[in-house]
Amino acid sequence: EMVFPWMADGDFAEVSGFGMKALAHSLASKDDWEPLYDADSMRRALANGGPCKAAAAVYYDDMYVDFDACMKVTARGGPLEKCKVWITNDYQHSGLRDNGAEIFTKILGMAKGTIRTPS
């Protein structure tokens, strides 16, 4: 999911061999990435009367997904501002594996409007 140069510099032996160190540094220095998503398409899909509804669990201390980045895209004016957000530390990044049925039931209910969670 991610690799940082400091990981390949010796902190994680698994990623410091087999060319991974060079790859980690190359990826970190790349500055011409294409957009990861089409913000306007996301806004249209979630607009009132649009074809989609969305809800998400955001884990405050997720070690793999940056909390501030999640809040930026779901904030007012962001491409996912219509997404209902459940901010929690009840689970970590492995939440769906740990208790998938409960989490899926909650976020599906949030998307449908049958479960109210401040967002």
Side-chain angles (χ1 to χ4, degrees):
E1 293 182 4
M2 64 181 187
V3 63
F4 295 102
W6 57 265
M7 293 174 165
D9 287 338
D11 290 346
F12 294 88
E14 308 84 42
V15 296
S16 49
F18 303 110
M20 291 299 289
K21 183 174 183 171
L23 177 62
H25 284 275
S26 178
L27 288 172
S29 65
K30 183 175 171 54
D31 62 2
D32 61 345
W33 294 100
E34 295 290 324
L36 293 177
Y37 54 84
D38 182 340
D40 290 332
S41 292
M42 294 167 85
R43 279 188 192 91
R44 283 192 303 276
L46 295 177
N48 291 336
C52 301
K53 297 187 182 306
V58 175
Y59 308 117
Y60 188 77
D61 289 319
D62 192 314
M63 66 185 295
Y64 298 107
V65 180
D66 183 73
F67 178 80
D68 292 331
C70 292
M71 294 299 94
K72 183 178 178 182
V73 297
T74 58
R76 188 165 303 213
L80 293 176
E81 72 175 312
K82 299 285 187 181
C83 179
K84 307 254 175 95
V85 179
W86 171 37
I87 299 170
T88 182
N89 256 358
D90 290 346
Y91 304 95
Q92 292 299 310
H93 192 75
S94 61
L96 287 177
R97 181 179 37 216
D98 297 338
N99 196 355
E102 183 175 315
I103 293 170
F104 184 76
T105 298
K106 182 171 183 98
I107 61 176
L108 181 62
M110 289 167 55
K112 289 181 172 182
T114 57
I115 293 177
R116 295 183 51 89
T117 298
S119 145

